[in-house]
Amino acid sequence: QVQLKESGPGLVQPSETLSLTCTVSGFSLTSYGVNWVRQPPGKGLEWMGTIWNDGSTDYNSALKSRLSISRDTSKSQVFLKMNSLQTEDTAIYLCAREALNYGGFDYWGQGVMVTVSS
Amino acid sequence: DVVMTQTPVSLSVSLGGQVSISCRSSQSLVHNNGNTYLSWYLQKPGQSPQLLIYKVSNRFSGISDRFSGSGSGTDLTLKISRVEPDDLGVYYCGQGTQYPPTFGSGTKLEIK
């Protein structure tokens, strides 16, 4: 079945770089896009970016200067890197599969909580 | 960016009752191809969001027919009938018609 699982450090120092991995199973990254979405504690959902099935990417313009999304199709992994982290980047980070022809996200990972603090 | 405005912010309903959640967009969600890419998600406590409805009114795989979506253009609605205990959580609408994808701020459903 379709599964996505995020992994990465739970604590990041201010001004440092966040690196997260989304490991997927049950589908191919060459057939589906994968998105990163974040959710500050107690708040709503913010789309961060997408890596499409062809490897191209789209980013939220508010994060574009700090964000990079890449993938390793052989390992079924999608990577997020975001630099210059600040306390307001504290959030649950989720990866979600782009639903084909739905215009939404059909499967989500469990999320990983990232705290930015010294 | 398309702003999605959800109302109400929260609501309380008795088991077996019915509720409606409204989602209004700042721009039409009708894509050039004629589709309206409006989805509804439920985030149960301590869980990640799950897709309920896509393209306004299509139930995702395994979703009960107690959930129904309707509307057009900028005015969309999610209706939940015969509310069950497992329905509690925060409901989000989300649009994929225009980039970037955006979400409403959520509606918290509580069971009386």
Side-chain angles (χ1 to χ4, degrees), chain B residues 71-93:
Chain B
S72 62
T74 62
D75 202 348
L76 296 306
T77 301
L78 174 70
K79 186 179 295 183
I80 311 168
S81 58
R82 305 186 305 280
V83 169
E84 299 179 355
D86 196 45
D87 298 338
L88 73 89
V90 180
Y91 290 80
Y92 293 96
C93 59

Side-chain angles (χ1 to χ4, degrees), chain A residues 18 29 36 41 43 73 81 86 88 92 94 110 114:
Chain A
L18 172 65
L29 293 177
W36 287 96
K43 296 191 176 180
T73 55
K81 288 191 189 301
Q86 301 301 320
E88 53 265 34
I92 296 172
L94 304 118
Q110 64 192 19
V114 175

Side-chain angles (χ1 to χ4, degrees), chain B residues 24-96:
Chain B
R24 289 186 170 168
S25 58
S26 60
Q27 304 171 39
S28 173
L29 298 184
V30 180
H31 192 275
N32 290 339
N33 64 14
N35 289 310
T36 299
Y37 296 110
L38 186 283
S39 301
W40 288 96
Y41 304 89
L42 165 60
Q43 187 171 30
K44 297 180 181 179
Q47 296 186 20
S48 56
Q50 62 180 99
L51 177 64
L52 299 174
I53 301 283
Y54 64 93
K55 287 199 290 187
V56 180
S57 59
N58 297 274
R59 280 184 295 276
F60 187 55
S61 175
I63 300 303
S64 168
D65 60 5
R66 298 184 299 103
F67 294 90
S68 62
S70 62
S72 62
T74 62
D75 202 348
L76 296 306
T77 301
L78 174 70
K79 186 179 295 183
I80 311 168
S81 58
R82 305 186 305 280
V83 169
E84 299 179 355
D86 196 45
D87 298 338
L88 73 89
V90 180
Y91 290 80
Y92 293 96
C93 59
Q95 68 85 20

Side-chain angles (χ1 to χ4, degrees), chain A residues 49-115:
Chain A
T50 307
I51 185 161
W52 296 100
N53 59 325
D54 65 358
S56 62
T57 53
D58 281 309
Y59 298 113
N60 186 319
S61 59
L63 302 172
K64 191 172 185 176
S65 63
R66 302 194 288 139
L67 183 61
S68 175
I69 299 174
S70 60
R71 68 181 186 179
D72 183 334
T73 55
S74 66
K75 294 183 178 179
S76 294
Q77 292 180 324
V78 175
F79 309 106
L80 175 148
K81 288 191 189 301
M82 189 162 71
N83 58 33
S84 304
L85 255 63
Q86 301 301 320
T87 54
E88 53 265 34
D89 294 312
T90 293
I92 296 172
Y93 286 76
L94 304 118
C95 56
R97 191 177 81 165
E98 182 81 17
L100 288 177
N101 302 317
Y102 289 6
F105 312 127
D106 57 359
Y107 291 93
W108 297 66
Q110 64 192 19
V112 59
M113 179 67 202
V114 175
T115 301

Side-chain angles (χ1 to χ4, degrees), chain A residues 46-50 58-62 105, chain B residues 1-4 94-103:
Chain A
E46 179 186 28
W47 174 79
M48 301 180 70
T50 307
D58 281 309
Y59 298 113
N60 186 319
S61 59
F105 312 127
Chain B
D1 297 1
V2 177
V3 177
M4 307 295 287
Q95 68 85 20
T97 296
Q98 295 194 29
Y99 251 68
T102 50
F103 298 91

